Each structure stands twice: as C-alpha cells, then as structure tokens.
Amino acid sequence: QQSDSTRQQSDSTKEDGDHRTGVEVRFSLNFHKVHKLNVAESTAHLVVWVRMQWNDPRLRWDPAEFGNLTKAYFWVQDGIGGGEVSEVWTPDIYLWNQEESMDKTLADAYAAASPNGDVYWSRPGLIKATCKFRGLGSFPFDRLGCELEFGSWAYSGLYIRPVKMGDGFSIGGSETAGQSFAEFSLVDVFVHEYVYPPFPAAPEEDWPVLIYE
C-alpha cells in the first residue's frame, strides 16, 4: 500500500497530457575502494558514498522570511530512509541484487534542502552485492565484472524515476580512497539507464533502473 508521504510526494510528479511520470531522482555512486570479493560465493563488497538528489515542493521556502536561511538539514534514519524518526520523505532506491540491505550497511546522515525544494542526500557505507562475475575464464589474471542494479522497490516509474546524476559515478575524491597492495582494485565503471516494461496487470507502470557495470 502506498504510504501517505509517497502519495503526497507523488502529487508533484509531472503530467504531460494523460502521461504521468514520477519524481526524478538523480543518483550517483562514489566508489571509495573494493573492500572484498568472494568469487566462490559470487559476492562483492564495495566502500561507496551513495548520493541522491530530488525536488520536494513541500520543502520550498522564501529565505527572506526565515532570516536569509539558504540551507536546512533534516535527519534521515535507518540508512535508506523511511524510519520512524526520519524528518523528510526520501526515495526508496534499493540495490536490487543485494546480499544485504542498504539500511544495514549505509550510515545514517542528514539530507540538505535548498529554498527551491532541491534535496541532496549523501551517505557513506558498504554496498554488498550478489554478482554474476564475468572474466572468470582467466581468473585470477583477468578482470572481473559485476553488475549493480538500483531502482525503487515499491514504486513504479509513475512515482519514482531514478536517473544518472551527471555521469552516475565518480571514483576516489579523498586521501583515503583506493587501496595499496590489494588483491582487487576498481578499473572501469559504466552506467546506463534501463526501463523494464510494464507488467500485464499494470500496463501504465514501467520500472526504470540504473545498471552499473
């Protein structure tokens, strides 16, 4: 059942004639380092910063009416949002091929809102994914490939539409990023937007995702 907060947020979705599209959620991963790969169990653990940005018209304000306030911070609980003490609505973007849920592997963090309603939310932590590894034919002397698939779990594209924030990824960016004398390191990242077609029972609802390779 659709929650009240998502129902209210969906009121701000775009409508073009009879066509409705969901809230655009710009999404990006900053890859910090490869934490662990387990080829036998087909799992990958990556240290990342998960970044999202969207617009919530309920959070718009006139800075002149609030002491020239140009930034407001709201606490978001449970790493993925939606916790009972979370102060704002957040998109339910999940790793679809997860080994462990991001609400257990990402840190809680504040979301930053701007006067125009733009909300930026960044959290550090681990991505724990199940993989169909590519490149095992020459293992351990070849490159391994693993896909990560992110999308809304509960809501179709009528309500939430994840898209790339810029290139959809970045690598490093801090003095502690990367690794030395490690068995595995990150070489290349490719991100593309993909839309699954609607199910027969809901012909108007497609399912957009972001796939990292």
Side-chain angles (χ1 to χ4, degrees):
Q1 184 177 356
Q2 187 180 352
S3 66
D4 290 340
S5 60
T6 303
R7 184 181 299 110
Q8 293 168 4
Q9 173 64 6
S10 69
D11 290 341
S12 67
T13 57
K14 300 176 183 178
E15 295 189 10
D16 182 10
D18 293 331
H19 182 67
R20 168 185 176 140
T21 59
V23 176
E24 184 178 88
V25 179
R26 295 176 290 282
F27 185 94
S28 178
L29 290 179
N30 176 266
F31 292 93
H32 202 65
K33 65 179 63 177
V34 178
H35 181 64
K36 181 171 61 176
L37 294 183
N38 190 317
V39 176
E41 295 182 359
S42 297
T43 58
H45 296 180
L46 306 172
V47 181
V48 298
W49 302 339
V50 179
R51 296 163 170 168
M52 294 191 221
Q53 188 174 32
W54 64 94
N55 187 272
D56 190 335
R58 299 168 299 179
L59 297 178
R60 294 173 185 167
W61 74 90
D62 183 353
E65 297 179 358
F66 294 91
N68 293 320
L69 180 70
T70 58
K71 192 75 69 177
Y73 296 89
F74 299 92
W75 182 247
V76 181
Q77 186 72 32
D78 296 336
I80 196 67
E84 292 184 0
V85 299
S86 295
E87 297 176 329
V88 292
W89 177 86
T90 52
D92 75 324
I93 304 296
Y94 283 87
L95 174 63
W96 281 15
N97 57 317
Q98 64 184 17
E99 177 193 4
E100 187 173 356
S101 176
M102 294 194 303
D103 63 352
K104 297 179 175 63
T105 62
L106 296 181
D108 299 332
Y110 285 93
S114 299
N116 64 353
D118 282 346
V119 183
Y120 179 78
W121 186 33
S122 177
R123 296 149 292 154
L126 281 174
I127 291 294
K128 296 185 177 183
T130 58
C131 300
K132 293 190 297 185
F133 283 120
R134 301 183 305 275
L136 289 174
S138 301
F139 179 80
F141 303 106
D142 204 350
R143 296 182 180 183
L144 292 180
C146 174
E147 292 186 348
L148 307 175
E149 189 170 14
F150 292 89
S152 173
W153 186 249
Y155 304 105
S156 71
L158 285 180
Y159 301 98
I160 295 177
R161 301 198 74 84
V163 298
K164 292 189 293 185
M165 180 191 300
D167 293 329
F169 77 96
S170 55
I171 299 175
S174 76
E175 291 298 320
T176 57
Q179 53 258 11
S180 300
F181 308 107
E183 184 178 4
F184 299 101
S185 61
L186 190 65
V187 178
D188 296 313
V189 179
F190 302 95
V191 188
H192 64 274
E193 300 170 358
Y194 182 79
V195 179
Y196 286 100
F199 294 107
E204 297 181 354
E205 301 190 33
D206 58 11
W207 294 87
V209 296
L210 293 174
I211 297 177
Y212 286 73
E213 300 177 348

